Amino acid sequence: MSRIVGIDLGTTNSLVAIVDSGIPYVIADPEGQRLTPSVVHVPGPGAATIVGHPANRVRILKPAETVYSVKRFMGRRGSDIAREEMLVTYPVAGSGSGPVTLQLHGRAWTPEEISAEILRKLKADAEASLGEPVTRAVITVPAYFNDAQRNATIRAGELAGLTVERIVNEPTAAALAYGLDKLKDKARIAVYDLGGGTFDLSVLELNQGVFQVLSTHGDTRLGGDDLDKRVVAHLCQEIRSAGGPDLSPATNTPDLLPLLSRVREAAERAKIRLSSETETEVSLPFLTPDFNFTCRLSRARLEELTRDIVERTRAHCLRSLSDAKLEASALDQVILVGGQTRMPLVRKLVSEWFGCVEFGEVRGDLRLGDEYHKAKGPELNTGVNPDEAVALGAAIQGEILAGGFRNLLLLDVTPLSLGIETFGGLMNVIIPRNTTIPVKAGELFTTAVDNQRSMLIHVLQGERERAMDNWSLGRFELEFEAAPKGVPRVGVQFEIDANGVLHVLARDVKTGHQKVVQMKSAVDVDDADVQKMVEESVANAFDDLRARQWIEAKIRAGETLIATRKTMAEYDAELDPDYRTQLHQALDEVESVLSLENPKTKTGDPARLKAATAALDEVTKPLAEYAMDKVMEAMLRKKGVL
Ligand code: AMP
């Protein structure tokens, strides 16, 4: 069996790692560098690409032909991309449900193709270092990547000639790198991962060698890049006040882009330096032929400029803890992952929020888990290089899959609920959010209308009550024999495999006829912000509940109206006129409540509708009894009893 490398395919940097004789390490490229900038330069039509450090250097001179942060575009549709995200220095195209493409020298590149270039380089570096072919890999993704984004990552691996043995969530991989043999048997840890482009806070439990993700929360559009943008804006202002060119976005013209790229690079360098220095100099000689720029930037000023961005991560931390039903004090450790967590402000705030004690702080003889420790809060552990933890963890997972580290198993969770649309447009959850994967779950469904010949399986992802408020992952039809409503039985089963990919099976119970659909292509799958979805579900919880109650009441009212009208028509001639009027009044009341449905929100007053339907039920009781008697009479007559 060939070895399996671990790859951290990052927004800013990518790394490849391997386990050698039980020890994980990051593989360096021939120049001895372990971090490969996730940057790809396309020099000309049909020319070979340049990847990593050399591409990063060219980025300044050729901003329009050099792709960075491509991870932000992986598996996403044109309509998912916000305008400001399009403001990278290379042309991004994509609209509506079409895929996103990057236009380089007249060729439309997909984000997967660009990522594949990075993966090819890592594969080649690993092969050169190990002296053997590398064909199998574990690749990590942010915990909030949806199916489309995970599948795009798998495709990128395949394009690069790699079999992707497993997709692993970044925090889970990091926990592996940190937790392998350091933690006690039962420990709970929070993984705070702030990288270049994404943020996650995951709560994990290590229980006798088995990792389980209790919850995960984050934002796929929050990271060090956002801090850089603030510093860039600050420097642009300073440049302008010093009499330099106006580099503000409003005046951005293509000839200013190279300057802006230089400012961006200087901003990031200054930000990084300010993690170890309290003040630094930003120097941009010959920004224009007749303008040299220098200024001083202090750590305090950097913190002022970016503090609110770091603080935005706090809500995700709280939410993740609450999803895991844990207080911060119940955690044993908080581990920091991602280059941006080197920033002292990040460490300080995280430490404050979680009530942490410094890792290794002298506490006499007391050990993790002691009462004293619990009272003092979790330890802040920065023991593993935050840039490398994810890749090391991926390599460990690769080793587990290749047969090493046998007693360690990884369990992940679904970031959002998965289900199907049912009658009336409601979401029926089959796998709730934060369920441990791999998982298989199913339910039986039936028809709502007589003689239905097929059922539409509309697969949804999200936390909202109504189908239309959730994301549509895809739809397909299962055909069956026509039968009265409620008779056909269709079993729908969802299976999420270890890579987080969803397989949906629908089976007609009577004939065994079935279809299995993999929710695969990026184009078939909607992408949006998981965080936004969860926030919206909380913000709209009351309205959503009312909408569900309204739809359910409406379905019940509709059934009662049809049944009443049918019976009334049948026995109209025999009805007492007063009773007929009473029936009509009750029918009118139900219809009038239904007509009050707000066309915009598609909801009405569920309590009033339920009351009107109950009143109609009550009024129709004598009619129902009369109809039943008539049916019995007819039956007995037919049998010759009467
Ligand atoms: P990652 O995605 O983990 O490679 O993290 C990359 C992000 O970390 C980028 O935004 C970097 O600017 C940032 N970063 C790397 N090193 C440092 C540092 N020493 N201080 C602050 N930020 C850093």
Side-chain angles (χ1 to χ4, degrees):
M1 274 290 232
S2 59
R3 295 211 268 176
I4 302 176
V5 294
I7 295 179
D8 171 5
L9 185 60
T11 307
T12 320
N13 295 302
S14 296
L15 300 90
V16 56
I18 187 89
V19 173
D20 189 30
S21 311
I23 299 172
Y25 71 94
V26 172
I27 298 172
D29 67 11
E31 283 80 48
Q33 305 185 96
R34 305 198 296 185
L35 252 63
T36 294
S38 305
V39 182
V40 176
H41 172 61
V42 181
T49 56
I50 297 170
V51 181
H53 289 285
N56 210 19
R57 285 192 287 271
V58 178
R59 188 177 146 188
I60 300 170
L61 303 168
K62 307 267 181 194
E65 295 135 32
T66 310
V67 183
Y68 58 91
S69 293
V70 71
K71 192 169 173 178
R72 286 187 183 274
F73 299 118
M74 288 286 275
R76 301 180 64 193
R77 291 176 170 199
S79 56
D80 294 334
I81 311 289
R83 211 187 70 82
E84 64 271 19
E85 280 182 292
M86 294 274 194
L87 287 178
V88 281
T89 55
Y90 49 90
V92 179
S95 60
S97 59
V100 172
T101 54
L102 318 170
Q103 311 292 322
L104 303 159
H105 291 293
R107 184 187 151 186
W109 290 70
T110 62
E112 291 98 301
E113 286 174 315
I114 295 288
S115 293
E117 295 298 315
I118 301 167
L119 290 170
R120 247 182 229 120
K121 147 106 169 72
L122 297 174
K123 178 178 185 287
D125 288 347
E127 285 174 340
S129 164
L130 300 173
E132 61 185 65
V134 170
T135 56
R136 304 165 74 200
V138 166
I139 305 182
T140 57
V141 295
Y144 284 90
F145 257 28
N146 64 18
D147 288 344
Q149 292 165 305
R150 283 165 200 264
N151 280 312
T153 307
I154 293 174
R155 269 200 308 279
E158 287 165 356
L159 285 173
L162 290 166
T163 303
V164 181
E165 300 288 344
R166 178 84 46 110
I167 293 287
V168 176
N169 283 340
E170 286 160 9
T172 310
L176 259 185
Y178 269 93
L180 193 54
D181 45 22
K182 287 185 194 160
L183 296 181
K184 63 195 166 91
D185 258 0
K186 191 171 169 64
R188 292 191 182 113
I189 51 175
V191 184
Y192 182 98
D193 182 350
L194 187 61
T198 59
F199 169 70
D200 289 288
L201 189 286
S202 305
V203 180
L204 295 99
E205 190 171 69
L206 176 69
N207 199 353
Q208 293 173 347
V210 178
F211 271 115
Q212 187 173 358
V213 184
L214 298 182
S215 67
T216 140
H217 223 272
D219 188 338
T220 52
R221 295 173 202 169
L222 179 66
D225 295 351
D226 298 303
L227 279 79
D228 296 349
K229 278 185 201 149
R230 289 282 171 84
V231 182
V232 168
H234 169 73
L235 292 179
C236 286
Q237 252 176 24
E238 295 283 303
I239 290 167
R240 191 85 187 107
S241 341
D246 182 2
L247 296 172
S248 60
T251 54
N252 264 200
T253 54
D255 56 311
L256 289 177
L257 284 179
L259 309 191
L260 198 60
S261 276
R262 278 187 70 192
V263 176
R264 187 172 285 124
E265 206 194 20
E268 187 185 0
R269 272 205 310 263
K271 176 192 79 174
I272 290 174
R273 278 198 307 275
L274 287 172
S275 288
S276 49
E277 297 161 23
T278 51
E279 198 174 279
T280 188
E281 185 173 91
V282 180
S283 167
L284 289 161
F286 300 107
L287 191 58
T288 59
D290 52 2
F291 178 73
N292 295 316
F293 176 74
T294 49
C295 79
R296 292 201 71 77
L297 185 64
S298 68
R299 185 187 286 175
R301 183 77 181 112
L302 171 72
E303 292 181 351
E304 221 172 78
L305 290 169
T306 57
R307 192 183 178 100
D308 65 303
I309 299 174
V310 181
E311 276 177 343
R312 264 166 53 200
T313 63
R314 187 180 187 190
H316 300 291
C317 298
L318 293 175
R319 184 65 198 249
S320 202
L321 279 174
S322 128
D323 279 355
K325 299 186 178 56
L326 285 181
E327 299 278 333
S329 58
L331 296 169
D332 293 286
Q333 289 203 11
V334 177
I335 63 175
L336 295 182
V337 179
Q340 194 56 56
T341 62
R342 286 222 173 88
M343 185 185 199
L345 178 70
V346 173
R347 296 191 170 194
K348 180 170 160 279
L349 290 179
V350 172
S351 183
E352 273 172 28
W353 299 335
F354 286 89
C356 291
V357 293
E358 272 298 318
F359 188 68
E361 191 176 291
V362 181
R363 298 198 309 265
D365 293 336
L366 292 164
R367 294 278 172 271
L368 280 181
D370 290 343
E371 284 313 306
Y372 175 69
H373 166 71
K374 290 272 183 234
K376 284 202 79 176
E379 281 181 298
L380 185 68
N381 187 348
T382 51
V384 178
N385 182 340
D387 302 316
E388 296 189 349
V390 171
L392 295 174
I396 293 168
Q397 176 66 63
E399 181 70 0
I400 295 167
L401 293 174
F405 299 139
R406 263 174 220 290
N407 53 2
L408 202 78
L409 214 97
L410 267 190
L411 299 170
D412 275 347
V413 297
T414 53
L416 285 176
S417 301
L418 290 153
I420 65 168
E421 176 171 352
T422 54
F423 192 55
L426 287 171
M427 157 93 158
N428 186 96
V429 173
I430 293 185
I431 299 178
R433 148 180 207 256
N434 277 338
T435 301
T436 303
I437 61 168
V439 63
K440 208 189 254 188
E443 231 174 272
L444 274 181
F445 293 89
T446 188
T447 50
V449 180
D450 283 338
N451 296 323
Q452 214 170 301
R453 305 191 68 93
S454 68
M455 191 182 277
L456 178 73
I457 311 291
H458 183 196
V459 182
L460 302 165
Q461 187 173 22
E463 303 309 310
R464 306 290 299 276
E465 293 285 349
R466 286 189 298 191
M468 64 181 195
D469 295 323
N470 289 303
W471 306 337
S472 172
L473 294 191
R475 50 184 99 205
F476 64 94
E477 273 200 46
L478 184 78
E479 298 79 18
F480 42 76
E481 289 168 22
K485 69 173 180 178
V487 172
R489 297 245 162 249
V490 173
V492 176
Q493 193 178 65
F494 279 22
E495 183 177 3
I496 307 179
D497 65 21
N499 291 328
V501 174
L502 173 67
H503 308 261
V504 179
L505 172 147
R507 182 187 295 141
D508 175 20
V509 175
K510 188 172 172 202
T511 61
H513 167 61
Q514 68 176 42
K515 278 187 187 167
V516 184
V517 175
Q518 189 183 330
M519 296 293 139
K520 194 170 164 95
S521 142
V523 183
D524 289 346
V525 182
D526 264 356
D527 169 40
D529 191 340
V530 170
Q531 173 55 18
K532 200 166 147 233
M533 166 63 72
V534 174
E535 274 169 13
E536 279 174 4
S537 80
V538 174
N540 294 297
F542 184 74
D543 289 345
D544 277 5
L545 181 67
R546 200 177 154 88
R548 174 175 278 277
Q549 286 172 338
W550 172 253
I551 291 170
E552 283 168 356
K554 216 170 115 174
I555 293 171
R556 171 90 185 81
E559 283 167 358
T560 312
L561 282 178
I562 291 171
T564 309
R565 282 211 194 91
K566 197 170 157 230
T567 320
M568 277 173 72
E570 217 164 306
Y571 301 104
D572 190 58
E574 295 146 66
L575 290 180
D576 172 72
D578 281 352
Y579 183 48
R580 190 185 293 122
T581 312
Q582 244 182 318
L583 283 168
H584 277 297
Q585 275 170 352
L587 280 171
D588 289 349
E589 171 62 9
V590 173
E591 272 170 349
S592 96
V593 182
L594 280 171
S595 72
L596 292 176
E597 181 182 87
N598 180 330
K600 239 182 172 170
T601 62
K602 299 243 178 312
T603 51
D605 183 344
R608 212 178 136 194
L609 184 55
K610 269 192 212 159
T613 309
L616 177 61
D617 269 339
E618 195 56 39
V619 176
T620 54
K621 260 187 196 157
L623 176 66
E625 277 163 20
Y626 182 75
M628 188 57 85
D629 286 350
K630 285 284 179 192
V631 171
M632 286 296 285
E633 200 182 303
M635 239 171 65
L636 294 175
R637 233 181 257 292
K638 210 169 150 196
K639 288 191 173 173
V641 181
L642 285 182

